[in-house]
Amino acid sequence: MESFMTIKCVNSDDIFKDAQEIIEQTRNNAYQAVNVAMIQRNWLLGKRIADEELKGKNRAEYGKEIIKKLADFLTNKYGKGFDFSSLYKYVRFYKEFPEILDSASPKFYLLSWTHYRSLLRVSDKTVTENHFRITI
């Protein structure tokens, strides 16, 4: 299987078409690389928060407080994207898709972070587990 970062350069009789193809391939590769990094970051943050929640005696309250404090810290340090709601989604992402980063195959990157966010909105857990999981 070719890596998604492979760029094919075909010399045709049309330099304009060839240049356009190179630019579009590299642009798509950049989008994919960012998506992969976001999926990994969000899953790892969710895992780390979930691990921290297990240390609390009253897990629900402790977890909520940890997420609030972490959201304030990360938002002050990095800006948007780390508010309470986002961090909560990351924890749900980790819990709903615990095998994502354990996969040896890059096929799990077929979905974008936006797709995973949409799947997290599905309230019927059976539908999520049976119909939307990526099978490798």
Side-chain angles (χ1 to χ4, degrees):
M1 179 179 166
E2 277 185 31
S3 166
F4 71 84
M5 297 304 281
T6 301
I7 299 171
K8 295 177 187 174
C9 182
V10 178
N11 290 351
S12 71
D13 292 334
D14 185 348
I15 190 171
F16 296 95
K17 180 182 168 221
D18 295 348
Q20 180 181 354
E21 185 62 29
I22 291 167
I23 291 167
E24 288 179 8
Q25 285 183 59
T26 55
R27 182 181 291 163
N28 288 337
N29 285 351
Y31 291 149
Q32 259 186 307
V34 168
N35 182 61
V36 167
M38 284 183 66
I39 289 170
Q40 291 173 337
R41 179 200 69 186
N42 298 348
W43 190 90
L44 289 167
L45 283 170
K47 180 183 185 330
R48 181 60 184 93
I49 294 166
D51 290 348
E52 187 67 23
E53 283 177 331
L54 293 176
K55 293 181 182 179
K57 293 183 177 157
N58 182 350
R59 290 186 197 161
E61 280 304 309
Y62 180 75
K64 191 173 178 181
E65 192 61 33
I66 286 296
I67 293 174
K68 282 182 188 177
K69 288 180 181 178
L70 185 59
D72 289 342
F73 172 78
L74 293 175
T75 299
N76 286 332
K77 185 148 182 87
Y78 299 108
K80 287 180 164 184
F82 300 100
D83 60 4
F84 181 87
S85 176
S86 295
L87 295 181
Y88 181 75
K89 283 180 190 136
Y90 302 162
V91 173
R92 286 196 54 225
F93 177 50
Y94 163 71
K95 289 178 178 179
E96 291 288 328
F97 302 97
E99 74 288 345
I100 291 285
L101 291 190
D102 293 335
S103 172
S105 171
K107 287 183 182 179
F108 75 86
Y109 299 128
L110 293 174
L111 297 181
S112 69
W113 171 241
T114 303
H115 289 110
Y116 283 113
R117 263 194 355 234
S118 296
L119 289 174
L120 292 174
R121 290 188 200 122
V122 175
S123 60
D124 184 354
K125 203 171 175 152
T126 305
V127 171
T128 301
E129 289 176 358
N130 292 333
H131 298 288
F132 292 112
R133 293 244 174 155
I134 295 174
T135 307
I136 298 171

